[in-house]
Amino acid sequence: MKNVVLPAPFGPMIETIERRWASLAIVIVVVFVVVAIAAGLHQATMPQSRVETVDPRTLHLGGEFIESNLGSAVEPDGSVTVRAIGQQYSFTPQCILVPTDTPITFRVTSADVVHGFIITGTAINLMLVPGYISSIPARFSTQGERHMPCHEFCGMGHEGMWGRIKIIDKAAFAQMAANAKRLSCVQ
Ligand code: CUA
């Protein structure tokens, strides 16, 4: 096969075009890296878009986290709001009761130090920071019982700090909710 020799002006011209494309490819990669770094730094340093605060010293005196308001509440739209408190070294309520196939919102806070709120076998995982309300949406498709161990070291009694969550049939829950304003499975 004969070597293809391009006429004099084309060789350098193609080289220039290739160089330009190569430079462009490098620029694109650099732009992606810069965007990734900027987005990461922004996310790590900016506060959450929505922060709800609560005074941990007066939780028991009134407001959303007063003891009589803790547990599961059925909202007018049929969804369920679960309110709970973590304190050294227990959760209130100790046993949370929720229905299956229902949109649920957990609203949890701490009365003293930082605690962890996790429901085993699910992606529900919150940090309870005194002064702030931690909130997460959830939905359970299967009935059963799960554990909620505190997963932030909170003092000498940390290992003993855990609760339970009982997921029951939607209809059974509705029946119980008809007779009580707030539900839990604490005996
Ligand atoms: Cu609460 Cu560890």
Side-chain angles (χ1 to χ4, degrees):
M1 206 180 149
K2 264 170 77 187
N3 276 341
V4 181
V5 181
L6 288 162
F10 288 106
M13 207 170 121
I14 286 172
E15 213 174 286
T16 313
I17 291 168
E18 277 187 348
R19 244 189 226 129
R20 267 189 208 150
W21 279 111
S23 313
L24 186 66
I26 291 166
V27 167
I28 289 169
V29 170
V30 169
V31 166
F32 279 149
V33 170
V34 168
V35 167
I37 291 171
L41 285 176
H42 179 84
Q43 208 177 15
T45 53
M46 291 292 148
Q48 285 174 295
S49 57
R50 185 167 148 273
V51 175
E52 286 181 275
T53 57
V54 66
D55 188 346
R57 292 163 304 180
T58 57
L59 291 178
H60 60 295
L61 299 178
E64 188 180 347
F65 292 95
I66 195 163
E67 198 165 356
S68 58
N69 198 39
L70 299 178
S72 307
V74 180
E75 302 296 340
D77 66 357
S79 68
V80 169
T81 304
V82 178
R83 294 183 181 86
I85 289 180
Q87 68 262 301
Q88 287 167 319
Y89 296 100
S90 64
F91 290 102
T92 310
Q94 192 79 250
C95 181
I96 290 172
L97 190 71
V98 291
T100 52
D101 303 317
T102 307
I104 295 163
T105 306
F106 286 92
R107 290 173 65 77
V108 197
T109 189
S110 166
D112 39 43
V113 299
V114 174
H115 297 281
F117 180 90
I118 191 167
I119 299 177
T120 51
T122 70
I124 299 158
N125 185 349
L126 296 169
M127 224 167 123
L128 311 182
V129 182
Y132 297 90
I133 299 170
S134 302
S135 178
I136 194 169
R139 196 183 182 100
F140 299 93
S141 52
T142 50
Q143 295 181 43
E145 205 175 296
R146 292 176 185 277
H147 290 284
M148 310 185 315
C150 172
H151 65 84
E152 291 286 344
F153 182 76
C154 52
M156 292 303 287
H158 164 71
E159 311 84 59
M161 183 174 173
W162 60 278
R164 287 178 301 141
I165 180 160
K166 223 167 154 176
I167 305 136
I168 63 165
D169 176 64
K170 197 177 175 171
F173 184 91
Q175 214 164 33
M176 290 171 79
N179 304 313
K181 256 185 81 200
R182 299 290 177 264
L183 290 172
S184 76
C185 42
V186 178
Q187 275 97 31

